[in-house]
């Protein structure tokens, strides 16, 4: 007499093992990896205040992707882009009052690593801005290759390319400089409405 193993039982054991492995992985990822926060109130960073007439300028620049662009957004088997459908842009707004100037710059990329924020701020240091805020539109179909982090490369932006990082930081800094030069008298208005 020959006994046969039940294939459904083998499948059930496999699913159970996969579920247990997933639960263990989620448990490990849920651990507090950052450590405890320091006791006491949060620290307030540098503060700038201005007064007087408001001036503002805007500018847009195209981010040149280079000869072999990487596409970012999510993990892929193939990171190289097949081509470029639309130009990738960088937009900047500089708002100033006497004693305070702030630049807001946004690029059509997935996210902004700290190194990119620091690089953009460093490139426009001569403008004397009180703050430079660097943002991303969070597109999952934009350029990658600008985050020098192994987890970031594998899961988000693809293989790091120093030239791509530099081109992106340069385009953002150029947009900020152009917005600074284009400043004109401006007005800020806020409205509120309620619909029923």
């Amino acid at each position: 007499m020959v006994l046969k193993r039940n294939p459904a039982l083998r499948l059930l054991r496999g699913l159970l093992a996969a579920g247990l492995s997933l639960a263990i992985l989620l448990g490990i990822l849920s651990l507090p990896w950052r450590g405890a926060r320091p006791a006491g109130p949060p620290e307030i960073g540098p503060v700038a205040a201005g007064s007087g007439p408001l001036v503002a300028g805007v500018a847009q620049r195209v981010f040149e992707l280079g000869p072999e662009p990487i596409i970012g957004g999510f993990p892929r088997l193939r990171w190289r882009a097949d081509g470029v459908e639309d130009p990738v842009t960088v937009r900047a707004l500089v708002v100033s009052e006497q004693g305070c100037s702030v630049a807001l710059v946004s690029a059509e990329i997935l996210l902004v690593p700290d190194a990119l924020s620091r690089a953009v701020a460093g490139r426009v240091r001569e403008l004397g801005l009180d703050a430079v805020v660097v943002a991303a539109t969070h597109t999952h179909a934009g350029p990658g290759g600008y985050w020098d982090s192994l987890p970031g490369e594998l899961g988000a932006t693809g293989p790091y390319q120093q030239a791509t990082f530099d081109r992106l930081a340069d385009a953002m800094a150029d947009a900020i400089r152009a917005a600074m030069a284009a400043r004109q008298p401006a007005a800020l208005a806020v409205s509120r409405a309620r619909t029923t």
Side-chain angles (χ1 to χ4, degrees):
M1 181 171 162
V2 177
L3 295 176
K4 291 186 178 180
R5 292 191 174 177
N6 186 346
L9 188 58
R10 187 184 319 176
L11 178 64
L12 184 62
R13 284 185 183 145
L15 289 174
L16 210 60
L20 183 61
S21 299
L22 182 62
I24 291 170
L25 179 63
L26 287 174
I28 291 170
L29 292 175
S30 299
L31 292 174
W33 295 102
R34 290 186 170 209
R37 292 185 179 177
E43 292 183 23
I44 297 176
V47 176
S51 62
L54 181 69
V55 293
V58 295
Q60 176 176 303
R61 294 292 183 262
V62 173
F63 167 46
E64 297 298 331
L65 299 176
E68 293 185 348
I70 301 284
I71 188 166
F74 50 86
R76 304 171 190 270
L77 294 177
R78 186 172 172 269
W79 292 95
R80 300 276 178 215
D82 291 330
V84 178
E85 186 71 27
D86 297 308
V88 177
T89 58
V90 172
R91 296 172 186 88
L93 165 69
V94 174
V95 180
S96 303
E97 284 185 328
Q98 185 66 38
C100 181
S101 289
V102 176
L104 310 171
V105 61
S106 174
E108 293 173 337
I109 56 175
L110 178 67
L111 47 80
V112 179
D114 288 339
L116 182 59
S117 289
R118 288 191 304 271
V120 173
R123 281 168 166 79
V124 295
R125 188 168 286 121
E126 79 281 359
L127 298 178
L129 296 163
D130 294 291
V132 176
V133 180
V134 181
T137 61
H138 195 71
T139 177
H140 282 260
Y146 57 87
W147 192 6
D148 190 10
S149 158
L150 184 59
E153 290 178 41
L154 295 175
T157 61
Y160 178 72
Q161 297 175 327
Q162 183 66 47
T164 299
F165 178 90
D166 289 337
R167 277 194 298 272
L168 181 56
D170 289 344
M172 294 175 110
D174 187 40
I176 291 171
R177 282 191 198 92
M180 185 84 163
R183 289 178 301 164
Q184 300 177 23
L188 176 65
V190 178
S191 64
R192 180 182 289 183
R194 175 175 279 185
T195 60
T196 55

